[in-house]
Amino acid sequence: MDIVVKGRKTEVPERFRKHVAEKLKLEKIQKLDGKVISLDVEVSKEPNPRQADRCDRVEITLRSRGPVIRAEAAASDPYAALDLAAEKLDARLRKQHDKRFSRRGAQRIPAAEVPDHVPDAATLNGNGSPVREEEPDGVPTKKMGSLEVKGEGPLVVREKTHVASPMSLDQALYEMELVGHDFYLFIDSETKEPSVVYRRHAYDYGVIHLSTDPMVAQAQPPAAGGTLGG
């Protein structure tokens, strides 16, 4: 397995690539997760001078036969950002490693072995490529910095498509912690409906469940897409 280093709207010098290989030691990572498939490091730069202390961002994405683990950090230079992101990755790897072995004692399925029991689990929440739809004829598009605004909005910054298998609330909370986000969209294994778990104050969590309204579904004709109202 190799470490893939890429820049998003910025050049990555060879010196930094070597530093990444020295900082992210593959032997150490494989001891904590022996089923690692890929390790990607993305470097980006914020051109806004007001954010000079956080202008360089590093995002590390580790994919294995278990859940995706992601760590990101921003600092005044890419080397400092890499150090911070590497510390987060190490902490999340150790957390997954400890939970995997504690589950074995309770005769539960380890996270790394979920793909052996659940079809398509290896691609759970993978980092999909941004999806760009064709612009409708006659709709003007204008540039705002590095972003594109179609018509009067809404402003679409990034689109991602993920393949997901149903999971329990407990597993969704666990995977939210692994990627370090404040919310997590998943398919509830009991209801087979989309749900969102999110972080509240302190260590509290909230859950939003979606269910199809049969009256609305019968009243409206089939459509190509739908909207989610707040």
Side-chain angles (χ1 to χ4, degrees), residues 15-187:
R15 178 188 170 194
F16 183 79
R17 295 178 185 273
K18 293 180 179 178
H19 183 69
V20 169
E22 294 172 358
K23 188 70 179 179
L24 301 178
K25 299 186 182 299
L26 292 178
E27 293 133 3
K28 181 180 177 182
I29 291 174
Q30 289 174 329
K31 283 183 180 179
L32 296 173
D33 189 342
K35 299 182 179 180
V36 177
I37 297 173
S38 65
L39 184 62
D40 298 332
V41 177
E42 183 179 89
V43 185
S44 59
K45 194 170 186 67
E46 171 57 56
N48 188 346
R50 295 183 179 180
Q51 298 185 16
D53 60 332
R54 297 173 56 83
C55 61
D56 288 285
R57 176 173 295 276
V58 172
E59 179 177 310
I60 306 172
T61 303
L62 184 150
R63 296 182 179 84
S64 70
R65 294 183 63 190
V68 172
I69 300 179
R70 182 175 293 111
E72 58 183 298
S76 57
D77 66 82
Y79 294 90
L82 175 65
D83 290 346
L84 294 172
E87 289 178 5
K88 292 181 180 179
L89 179 71
D90 183 69
R92 288 167 187 167
L93 266 172
R94 293 184 182 279
K95 180 178 180 180
Q96 183 200 32
H97 179 268
D98 294 343
K99 185 164 185 176
R100 182 165 62 242
F101 281 92
S102 64
R103 281 186 169 184
R104 282 180 180 170
Q107 295 184 348
R108 298 175 66 181
I109 300 175
E113 296 179 8
V114 169
D116 298 332
H117 302 270
V118 182
D120 299 326
T123 55
L124 259 177
N125 305 303
N127 186 13
S129 301
V131 177
R132 295 177 61 88
E133 296 181 356
E134 295 184 1
E135 298 179 6
D137 294 337
V139 178
T141 300
K142 56 184 178 182
K143 297 283 289 186
M144 293 182 63
S146 61
L147 305 176
E148 291 184 356
V149 180
K150 297 179 182 179
E152 299 299 323
L155 183 62
V156 178
V157 179
R158 180 182 293 184
E159 293 185 34
K160 290 186 178 181
T161 300
H162 299 282
V163 177
S165 296
M167 66 176 66
S168 65
L169 174 59
D170 178 66
Q171 183 68 18
L173 284 168
Y174 173 55
E175 297 205 21
M176 182 181 74
E177 293 292 343
L178 287 181
V179 295
H181 290 173
D182 292 326
F183 70 93
Y184 194 85
L185 175 65
F186 68 103
I187 305 296

